[in-house]
Structures are given as structure tokens and as C-alpha cells.
Coordinates of all heavy atoms in Angstrom, one line a residue:
E1 N 79.7 121.3 75.5 CA 79.0 122.3 76.3 C 79.9 122.6 77.5 O 80.4 121.7 78.2 CB 77.7 121.7 76.8 CG 76.9 122.8 77.6 CD 75.4 122.2 77.8 OE1 74.8 121.9 76.9 OE2 75.1 122.2 79.0
P2 N 80.2 123.9 77.8 CA 81.2 124.2 78.8 C 80.6 123.9 80.2 O 79.4 123.9 80.4 CB 81.3 125.7 78.7 CG 80.1 126.2 78.0 CD 79.7 125.0 77.1
D3 N 81.5 123.6 81.1 CA 81.1 123.3 82.5 C 80.7 124.6 83.2 O 81.4 125.6 83.2 CB 82.3 122.7 83.3 CG 81.9 122.2 84.6 OD1 80.8 121.8 84.8 OD2 82.8 122.2 85.5
V4 N 79.5 124.6 83.7 CA 79.0 125.8 84.3 C 79.4 125.8 85.8 O 79.2 124.8 86.5 CB 77.4 125.9 84.2 CG1 76.9 127.1 85.0 CG2 77.0 125.9 82.8
T5 N 80.0 126.8 86.3 CA 80.5 126.9 87.6 C 79.8 128.1 88.3 O 79.2 128.9 87.7 CB 82.0 127.1 87.7 OG1 82.4 128.3 87.0 CG2 82.8 126.0 87.1
I6 N 79.9 128.1 89.7 CA 79.4 129.2 90.5 C 80.4 130.3 90.6 O 81.5 130.0 91.1 CB 78.9 128.6 91.8 CG1 77.8 127.6 91.6 CG2 78.5 129.8 92.8 CD1 77.3 126.9 92.9
V7 N 80.1 131.5 90.1 CA 81.0 132.6 90.2 C 80.8 133.3 91.5 O 81.8 133.7 92.2 CB 80.7 133.6 89.0 CG1 81.5 134.8 89.1 CG2 80.9 132.9 87.7
S8 N 79.6 133.5 91.9 CA 79.3 134.3 93.2 C 78.3 133.5 93.9 O 77.1 133.3 93.5 CB 78.8 135.7 92.9 OG 78.4 136.3 94.0
G9 N 78.6 133.0 95.1 CA 77.7 132.1 95.9 C 76.7 132.8 96.8 O 76.6 134.0 96.8
L10 N 75.9 132.0 97.4 CA 74.9 132.4 98.3 C 75.5 133.1 99.6 O 76.6 132.7 100.0 CB 74.0 131.3 98.8 CG 73.3 130.5 97.7 CD1 72.5 129.4 98.3 CD2 72.4 131.4 96.9
K11 N 74.8 134.0 100.2 CA 75.2 134.7 101.4 C 74.2 134.4 102.5 O 73.0 134.4 102.3 CB 75.3 136.2 101.2 CG 76.4 136.5 100.1 CD 76.6 138.0 100.0 CE 77.7 138.4 99.0 NZ 78.0 137.5 97.9
D12 N 74.8 134.1 103.7 CA 73.9 133.9 104.9 C 73.0 135.2 105.1 O 73.5 136.3 105.0 CB 74.7 133.6 106.1 CG 75.4 132.3 106.0 OD1 75.0 131.4 105.2 OD2 76.4 132.0 106.8
T13 N 71.8 134.9 105.5 CA 70.8 136.0 105.6 C 70.0 135.8 106.9 O 69.6 134.7 107.1 CB 69.9 136.1 104.4 OG1 70.7 136.2 103.2 CG2 69.0 137.4 104.5
V14 N 69.8 136.9 107.6 CA 68.8 136.9 108.8 C 67.6 137.7 108.4 O 67.8 138.8 107.9 CB 69.5 137.4 110.0 CG1 68.5 137.4 111.2 CG2 70.7 136.6 110.4
V15 N 66.5 137.2 108.6 CA 65.2 137.9 108.2 C 64.2 137.7 109.3 O 64.2 136.7 110.0 CB 64.7 137.4 106.8 CG1 64.4 135.9 106.9 CG2 63.6 138.2 106.3
A16 N 63.3 138.7 109.4 CA 62.3 138.7 110.4 C 61.1 137.8 109.9 O 60.8 137.8 108.7 CB 61.8 140.1 110.8
E17 N 60.4 137.1 110.8 CA 59.3 136.3 110.5 C 58.2 137.2 109.8 O 57.9 138.3 110.2 CB 58.7 135.7 111.7 CG 57.7 134.6 111.4 CD 57.3 133.8 112.7 OE1 57.6 134.2 113.8 OE2 56.8 132.6 112.5
G18 N 57.7 136.7 108.7 CA 56.7 137.4 107.9 C 57.3 138.2 106.8 O 56.5 138.6 105.9
D19 N 58.6 138.4 106.8 CA 59.2 139.1 105.7 C 59.6 138.2 104.5 O 59.5 137.0 104.6 CB 60.5 139.8 106.1 CG 60.2 141.0 107.0 OD1 59.0 141.5 107.1 OD2 61.2 141.6 107.6
D20 N 59.9 138.8 103.4 CA 60.4 138.1 102.2 C 62.0 138.1 102.3 O 62.6 139.0 102.8 CB 60.0 138.7 100.9 CG 58.5 138.6 100.7 OD1 57.8 138.0 101.5 OD2 58.0 139.3 99.8
V21 N 62.6 137.0 101.7 CA 64.1 137.0 101.7 C 64.5 136.5 100.3 O 63.8 135.6 99.8 CB 64.7 136.2 102.8 CG1 64.2 134.7 102.8 CG2 66.2 136.2 102.8
T22 N 65.5 137.1 99.7 CA 66.0 136.7 98.4 C 67.4 136.2 98.5 O 68.3 136.9 99.1 CB 65.9 137.8 97.4 OG1 64.5 138.2 97.3 CG2 66.4 137.4 96.0
F23 N 67.7 135.1 97.9 CA 69.0 134.5 97.7 C 69.4 134.6 96.3 O 68.6 134.3 95.4 CB 69.1 133.1 98.2 CG 68.8 132.9 99.7 CD1 67.5 132.7 100.1 CD2 69.8 133.0 100.6 CE1 67.2 132.6 101.5 CE2 69.5 132.9 102.0 CZ 68.2 132.7 102.4
R24 N 70.7 135.0 96.0 CA 71.2 135.0 94.6 C 72.5 134.3 94.4 O 73.3 134.3 95.3 CB 71.4 136.5 94.2 CG 70.2 137.3 94.0 CD 70.4 138.7 93.4 NE 69.2 139.4 93.2 CZ 68.5 140.0 94.1 NH1 68.9 140.0 95.4 NH2 67.3 140.6 93.8
C25 N 72.6 133.7 93.3 CA 73.8 132.9 93.0 C 74.1 133.2 91.5 O 73.3 133.0 90.6 CB 73.6 131.4 93.2 SG 75.1 130.5 93.5
Q26 N 75.4 133.6 91.2 CA 75.8 133.9 89.8 C 76.6 132.7 89.3 O 77.5 132.2 90.0 CB 76.6 135.2 89.7 CG 76.9 135.5 88.3 CD 77.7 136.9 88.2 OE1 77.7 137.6 89.1 NE2 78.3 137.1 87.1
V27 N 76.2 132.3 88.1 CA 76.9 131.2 87.4 C 77.8 131.8 86.2 O 77.6 132.9 85.8 CB 76.0 130.1 87.0 CG1 75.2 129.5 88.2 CG2 75.0 130.6 85.9
S28 N 78.6 130.9 85.7 CA 79.6 131.4 84.7 C 79.0 131.5 83.3 O 79.6 132.2 82.5 CB 80.8 130.4 84.7 OG 80.4 129.1 84.4
H29 N 78.0 130.7 83.0 CA 77.4 130.7 81.7 C 75.9 130.9 81.7 O 75.2 130.5 82.6 CB 77.7 129.4 81.0 CG 79.2 129.2 80.7 ND1 80.0 128.7 81.7 CD2 79.9 129.3 79.6 CE1 81.2 128.6 81.2 NE2 81.2 129.0 80.0
E30 N 75.4 131.6 80.6 CA 73.9 131.8 80.5 C 73.2 130.4 80.2 O 73.9 129.5 79.7 CB 73.6 132.8 79.4 CG 74.0 134.2 79.8 CD 73.6 135.2 78.8 OE1 72.8 134.9 77.9 OE2 74.1 136.4 78.9
N31 N 72.0 130.4 80.4 CA 71.1 129.3 80.1 C 71.6 128.0 80.7 O 71.6 126.9 80.1 CB 71.0 129.1 78.6 CG 70.5 130.3 77.9 OD1 69.6 131.0 78.4 ND2 71.2 130.7 76.8
A32 N 72.1 128.1 82.0 CA 72.5 126.9 82.7 C 71.3 125.9 82.9 O 70.3 126.3 83.3 CB 73.1 127.3 84.0
R33 N 71.6 124.7 82.6 CA 70.6 123.6 82.9 C 71.0 122.8 84.1 O 72.1 123.0 84.6 CB 70.5 122.7 81.7 CG 69.8 123.5 80.5 CD 69.4 122.5 79.4 NE 70.5 122.2 78.4 CZ 71.1 123.0 77.6 NH1 70.9 124.3 77.7 NH2 72.1 122.6 76.8
D34 N 70.2 121.9 84.5 CA 70.5 121.1 85.7 C 70.7 122.0 86.9 O 71.7 121.9 87.7 CB 71.7 120.2 85.4 CG 71.8 119.1 86.5 OD1 70.8 118.8 87.1 OD2 73.0 118.6 86.6
V35 N 69.8 122.9 87.1 CA 69.8 123.9 88.3 C 68.7 123.5 89.3 O 67.6 123.1 88.9 CB 69.6 125.3 87.8 CG1 69.4 126.3 89.0 CG2 70.7 125.8 86.9
E36 N 69.1 123.5 90.6 CA 68.1 123.1 91.6 C 68.3 124.0 92.8 O 69.4 124.3 93.2 CB 68.3 121.7 92.0 CG 67.4 121.1 93.0 CD 67.6 119.7 93.3 OE1 68.8 119.3 93.5 OE2 66.7 118.9 93.2
W37 N 67.2 124.4 93.4 CA 67.2 125.1 94.7 C 66.6 124.2 95.8 O 65.6 123.5 95.5 CB 66.3 126.4 94.7 CG 66.9 127.5 93.9 CD1 66.6 127.8 92.6 CD2 67.8 128.5 94.4 NE1 67.3 129.0 92.3 CE2 68.0 129.4 93.4 CE3 68.4 128.7 95.7 CZ2 68.9 130.5 93.5 CZ3 69.2 129.8 95.8 CH2 69.5 130.7 94.7
K38 N 67.2 124.2 97.0 CA 66.6 123.4 98.0 C 66.6 124.2 99.3 O 67.4 125.1 99.5 CB 67.5 122.1 98.3 CG 67.4 121.1 97.2 CD 68.2 119.9 97.7 CE 68.1 118.7 96.7 NZ 68.9 117.6 97.1
L39 N 65.6 123.8 100.2 CA 65.5 124.4 101.5 C 65.5 123.2 102.5 O 64.5 122.3 102.3 CB 64.3 125.3 101.7 CG 64.1 125.8 103.2 CD1 65.3 126.6 103.6 CD2 62.8 126.6 103.2
Q40 N 66.4 123.0 103.4 CA 66.5 121.9 104.3 C 66.4 120.6 103.5 O 65.7 119.6 103.8 CB 65.4 121.9 105.3 CG 65.4 123.2 106.1 CD 64.0 123.4 106.8 OE1 63.1 122.6 106.7 NE2 63.9 124.5 107.5
D41 N 67.2 120.5 102.4 CA 67.3 119.3 101.5 C 66.0 118.9 100.8 O 65.8 117.8 100.3 CB 67.8 118.0 102.3 CG 69.3 118.1 102.5 OD1 69.9 118.7 101.7 OD2 69.7 117.5 103.5
V42 N 65.0 119.8 100.8 CA 63.8 119.6 100.0 C 63.8 120.5 98.8 O 64.0 121.7 98.9 CB 62.5 120.0 100.9 CG1 61.2 119.8 100.1 CG2 62.5 119.1 102.2
A43 N 63.6 119.9 97.6 CA 63.7 120.6 96.4 C 62.5 121.6 96.3 O 61.4 121.3 96.7 CB 63.6 119.6 95.2
L44 N 62.8 122.8 95.9 CA 61.8 123.9 95.8 C 61.3 124.0 94.4 O 62.0 123.9 93.4 CB 62.4 125.2 96.3 CG 62.8 125.2 97.7 CD1 63.5 126.6 98.0 CD2 61.7 124.9 98.7
Q45 N 60.0 124.3 94.3 CA 59.3 124.6 93.0 C 58.9 126.1 92.9 O 58.8 126.7 94.0 CB 58.1 123.7 92.8 CG 58.3 122.2 92.9 CD 59.3 121.7 91.9 OE1 59.2 122.1 90.7 NE2 60.1 120.8 92.3
N46 N 58.8 126.6 91.7 CA 58.3 128.0 91.6 C 56.8 128.0 91.9 O 56.0 127.4 91.2 CB 58.6 128.4 90.2 CG 58.6 129.9 90.0 OD1 58.6 130.7 91.0 ND2 58.6 130.4 88.8
N47 N 56.4 128.7 93.0 CA 55.0 128.8 93.3 C 54.7 130.1 94.0 O 55.6 131.0 94.0 CB 54.5 127.5 94.1 CG 55.3 127.4 95.4 OD1 55.7 128.3 96.0 ND2 55.5 126.1 95.7
E48 N 53.6 130.2 94.7 CA 53.2 131.5 95.3 C 54.1 131.8 96.5 O 54.3 132.9 96.9 CB 51.7 131.5 95.7 CG 51.3 130.6 96.8 CD 51.0 129.2 96.3 OE1 51.0 129.0 95.0 OE2 50.8 128.3 97.1
M49 N 54.7 130.8 97.1 CA 55.6 131.0 98.3 C 57.1 131.1 97.9 O 57.9 131.7 98.6 CB 55.4 129.9 99.3 CG 54.0 129.8 99.9 SD 53.4 131.4 100.6 CE 54.5 131.5 102.0
N50 N 57.5 130.5 96.8 CA 58.9 130.5 96.4 C 58.9 131.0 94.9 O 58.4 130.4 94.0 CB 59.4 129.0 96.3 CG 59.1 128.3 97.6 OD1 59.3 128.8 98.7 ND2 58.7 127.0 97.4
E51 N 59.6 132.1 94.8 CA 59.8 132.7 93.4 C 61.2 132.4 92.9 O 62.2 132.9 93.5 CB 59.5 134.2 93.4 CG 59.6 134.8 92.0 CD 59.5 136.3 92.0 OE1 58.8 136.8 92.9 OE2 60.1 136.9 91.1
I52 N 61.3 131.6 91.9 CA 62.6 131.2 91.3 C 62.7 131.9 90.0 O 61.8 131.8 89.1 CB 62.7 129.7 91.2 CG1 62.6 129.0 92.6 CG2 64.0 129.3 90.4 CD1 62.5 127.5 92.5
S53 N 63.8 132.6 89.8 CA 64.0 133.3 88.5 C 65.4 133.4 88.1 O 66.3 133.1 88.9 CB 63.4 134.7 88.6 OG 64.0 135.5 89.6
V54 N 65.7 133.9 86.9 CA 67.0 134.1 86.4 C 67.1 135.5 85.8 O 66.3 135.9 85.0 CB 67.4 133.1 85.3 CG1 68.8 133.3 84.8 CG2 67.2 131.6 85.8
E55 N 68.1 136.3 86.3 CA 68.3 137.7 85.8 C 69.5 137.7 84.9 O 70.5 137.2 85.3 CB 68.5 138.6 87.0 CG 67.3 138.5 88.1 CD 67.8 139.0 89.4 OE1 68.7 139.9 89.5 OE2 67.2 138.6 90.4
R56 N 69.4 138.4 83.8 CA 70.5 138.6 82.9 C 71.2 137.3 82.5 O 72.4 137.2 82.2 CB 71.5 139.5 83.5 CG 71.0 141.0 83.7 CD 72.0 142.0 84.1 NE 72.8 141.6 85.3 CZ 72.4 141.7 86.6 NH1 71.2 142.1 86.8 NH2 73.2 141.3 87.6
G57 N 70.4 136.2 82.6 CA 70.9 134.9 82.1 C 71.8 134.2 83.0 O 72.0 133.0 82.9
K58 N 72.5 134.9 84.0 CA 73.5 134.2 84.8 C 73.2 134.3 86.3 O 73.8 133.5 87.1 CB 74.9 134.8 84.6 CG 75.4 134.6 83.2 CD 76.8 135.2 83.1 CE 77.4 135.1 81.7 NZ 78.7 135.7 81.6
V59 N 72.3 135.2 86.7 CA 72.1 135.4 88.1 C 70.8 134.7 88.5 O 69.7 135.1 88.1 CB 72.0 136.9 88.5 CG1 71.7 137.0 90.0 CG2 73.3 137.6 88.2
H60 N 70.9 133.6 89.2 CA 69.7 132.8 89.6 C 69.3 133.3 91.0 O 70.1 133.4 91.9 CB 70.1 131.3 89.6 CG 70.4 130.7 88.3 ND1 69.5 129.9 87.6 CD2 71.4 130.9 87.5 CE1 70.0 129.6 86.4 NE2 71.2 130.2 86.3
S61 N 68.0 133.5 91.1 CA 67.5 134.0 92.4 C 66.3 133.2 92.9 O 65.6 132.6 92.2 CB 67.2 135.5 92.4 OG 66.0 135.7 91.6
L62 N 66.3 133.1 94.3 CA 65.2 132.4 95.0 C 64.6 133.4 96.0 O 65.4 133.9 96.8 CB 65.7 131.2 95.7 CG 64.8 130.6 96.7 CD1 63.5 130.0 96.1 CD2 65.5 129.5 97.6
T63 N 63.4 133.7 95.9 CA 62.7 134.6 96.9 C 61.7 133.7 97.7 O 60.8 133.1 97.1 CB 62.0 135.8 96.3 OG1 62.9 136.5 95.6 CG2 61.3 136.6 97.4
L64 N 61.9 133.7 99.0 CA 61.0 133.0 99.9 C 60.0 134.0 100.5 O 60.5 135.0 101.1 CB 61.7 132.3 101.1 CG 62.8 131.2 100.6 CD1 63.5 130.7 101.9 CD2 62.2 130.1 99.8
R65 N 58.7 133.8 100.3 CA 57.7 134.8 100.7 C 57.2 134.6 102.1 O 57.0 133.4 102.4 CB 56.6 134.8 99.7 CG 56.9 135.0 98.2 CD 56.5 136.4 97.8 NE 56.9 136.6 96.4 CZ 57.8 137.5 96.0 NH1 58.3 138.3 96.8 NH2 58.1 137.6 94.7
K66 N 57.1 135.6 102.8 CA 56.5 135.6 104.2 C 57.0 134.4 105.0 O 56.3 133.5 105.4 CB 55.0 135.5 104.1 CG 54.3 136.7 103.4 CD 52.8 136.6 103.4 CE 52.2 137.8 102.8 NZ 52.6 138.2 101.5
V67 N 58.3 134.4 105.2 CA 59.0 133.3 105.9 C 58.4 133.1 107.3 O 58.0 134.1 108.0 CB 60.5 133.5 105.9 CG1 61.1 133.5 104.6 CG2 60.9 134.7 106.7
T68 N 58.5 131.9 107.8 CA 58.0 131.5 109.1 C 59.2 130.8 109.8 O 60.2 130.5 109.2 CB 56.8 130.6 109.1 OG1 57.2 129.3 108.5 CG2 55.7 131.2 108.3
E69 N 59.0 130.5 111.1 CA 60.0 129.7 111.8 C 60.4 128.4 111.1 O 61.5 127.9 111.2 CB 59.6 129.5 113.2 CG 60.7 129.5 114.2 CD 60.1 129.5 115.7 OE1 59.9 128.4 116.2 OE2 59.9 130.6 116.2
Q70 N 59.4 127.8 110.4 CA 59.6 126.5 109.8 C 60.6 126.6 108.6 O 61.1 125.6 108.1 CB 58.3 125.9 109.3 CG 57.5 125.3 110.4 CD 56.8 126.3 111.3 OE1 56.3 127.3 110.8 NE2 56.8 126.1 112.6
D71 N 60.8 127.9 108.1 CA 61.7 128.1 107.0 C 63.2 128.2 107.4 O 64.1 128.4 106.6 CB 61.3 129.3 106.2 CG 60.0 129.2 105.6 OD1 59.7 128.1 105.0 OD2 59.2 130.2 105.6
I72 N 63.5 128.1 108.7 CA 64.8 128.2 109.2 C 65.6 127.0 108.7 O 65.1 125.9 108.7 CB 64.9 128.3 110.7 CG1 64.4 129.6 111.2 CG2 66.3 128.0 111.2 CD1 64.2 129.6 112.7
G73 N 66.8 127.2 108.2 CA 67.6 126.1 107.7 C 68.5 126.5 106.6 O 68.7 127.6 106.3
T74 N 69.1 125.5 106.0 CA 70.0 125.7 104.9 C 69.4 125.8 103.5 O 68.6 124.9 103.2 CB 71.1 124.5 104.9 OG1 71.7 124.5 106.2 CG2 72.1 124.7 103.8
V75 N 69.7 126.8 102.8 CA 69.3 127.0 101.4 C 70.4 126.5 100.6 O 71.6 126.9 100.8 CB 68.9 128.5 101.1 CG1 68.7 128.6 99.6 CG2 67.7 128.9 101.9
T76 N 70.2 125.7 99.6 CA 71.2 125.1 98.7 C 70.9 125.5 97.3 O 69.7 125.3 96.8 CB 71.3 123.6 98.9 OG1 71.6 123.3 100.2 CG2 72.5 123.1 98.0
F77 N 71.9 126.0 96.5 CA 71.8 126.2 95.1 C 72.7 125.2 94.4 O 73.9 125.1 94.8 CB 72.1 127.6 94.7 CG 72.2 127.8 93.2 CD1 71.1 128.0 92.5 CD2 73.4 127.8 92.5 CE1 71.1 128.2 91.1 CE2 73.5 127.9 91.2 CZ 72.3 128.2 90.4
R78 N 72.2 124.4 93.4 CA 73.1 123.5 92.8 C 73.0 123.7 91.3 O 71.9 123.8 90.7 CB 72.7 122.0 93.1 CG 73.6 121.0 92.4 CD 73.1 119.6 92.7 NE 71.7 119.4 92.1 CZ 71.5 119.2 90.8 NH1 72.5 119.2 89.9 NH2 70.3 119.0 90.4
V79 N 74.2 123.7 90.6 CA 74.2 123.6 89.2 C 75.2 122.5 88.8 O 76.4 122.6 89.2 CB 74.6 125.0 88.5 CG1 75.9 125.5 89.1 CG2 74.6 124.9 87.0
G80 N 74.7 121.5 88.1 CA 75.6 120.4 87.8 C 76.2 119.8 89.1 O 75.5 119.6 90.1
P81 N 77.5 119.6 89.2 CA 78.2 119.1 90.4 C 78.5 120.2 91.4 O 79.1 119.8 92.5 CB 79.5 118.5 89.8 CG 79.8 119.3 88.6 CD 78.5 119.8 88.0
H82 N 78.3 121.4 91.1 CA 78.7 122.5 92.0 C 77.5 123.0 92.9 O 76.4 123.1 92.4 CB 79.1 123.7 91.2 CG 80.2 123.3 90.2 ND1 81.5 123.1 90.6 CD2 80.1 123.2 88.9 CE1 82.2 122.8 89.5 NE2 81.4 122.8 88.4
T83 N 77.8 123.3 94.2 CA 76.7 123.7 95.1 C 77.2 124.9 95.9 O 78.4 125.1 96.1 CB 76.3 122.6 96.1 OG1 77.4 122.2 96.9 CG2 75.7 121.4 95.4
S84 N 76.3 125.7 96.3 CA 76.5 126.8 97.3 C 75.4 126.8 98.3 O 74.3 126.5 98.0 CB 76.5 128.2 96.5 OG 76.7 129.2 97.4
T85 N 75.8 127.0 99.6 CA 74.8 127.0 100.6 C 74.8 128.2 101.5 O 75.8 128.9 101.6 CB 75.0 125.8 101.6 OG1 76.3 125.8 102.1 CG2 74.8 124.5 100.8
A86 N 73.7 128.5 102.1 CA 73.6 129.7 103.1 C 72.6 129.3 104.2 O 71.8 128.4 104.0 CB 73.2 130.9 102.4

């Protein structure tokens, strides 16, 4: 199985409180496994506040809904041994 790498990493984003914000990370191969999103070192699950999806097989996205001041911090995307932060 080929090593999946990050082709296009996360970008720092400023957003107003109460708005939604989306982070995207493109990987080198489709159907990447061992993928994880974190906010402030806490693993995120797909739920009503965090929408985690994959577009076109390679673009992984995380949308944080109605962000608050408590959501300030580092977002991390990890695939295998590779990480990107914003």
C-alpha cells in the first residue's frame, strides 16, 4: 500500500464567533486510512458541531459549526505519520 502524504496542508483561518469555519487538507491517494482531526490535541468525531467529510476521495475537510471562544486553538490533520496544523 503506498505511503499517503499531505499534498496541500491546512491554512490558518480567522473567523467571527458564531460562524462556521472549514479546514481542508488534500492527500496524495484516495481512500486514505488512519486519518484523524484534532482541535487543541482533542480528537474530533463527526457530529452536529463537527462535520468531517472527504471530497473527491482526496480532499479531507473539517467544518466547525457556530464556533465559540473555546474553539480557539490549533487544528491538526493527521494521516499516518504526516501532520498539518493551522
Side-chain angles (χ1 to χ4, degrees):
E1 186 169 303
D3 187 28
V4 177
T5 60
I6 295 172
V7 175
S8 174
L10 300 177
K11 295 184 177 31
D12 290 342
T13 305
V14 176
V15 63
E17 191 168 20
D19 287 350
D20 296 350
V21 61
T22 299
F23 295 92
R24 285 187 179 81
C25 203
Q26 183 176 347
V27 298
S28 58
H29 295 79
E30 291 187 11
N31 305 318
R33 291 191 276 297
D34 195 22
V35 170
E36 182 178 50
W37 286 97
K38 287 184 175 180
L39 175 61
Q40 304 163 359
D41 282 333
V42 176
L44 299 176
Q45 305 298 321
N46 198 15
N47 58 36
E48 66 277 353
M49 296 307 291
N50 312 314
E51 182 185 329
I52 297 170
S53 63
V54 181
E55 304 158 27
R56 297 187 305 281
K58 294 183 182 178
V59 180
H60 294 255
S61 67
L62 165 67
T63 301
L64 302 176
R65 304 254 180 243
K66 297 182 176 57
V67 295
T68 67
E69 213 172 89
Q70 284 73 43
D71 295 320
I72 291 173
T74 301
V75 172
T76 305
F77 172 82
R78 181 186 62 77
V79 57
H82 307 285
T83 60
S84 178
T85 59

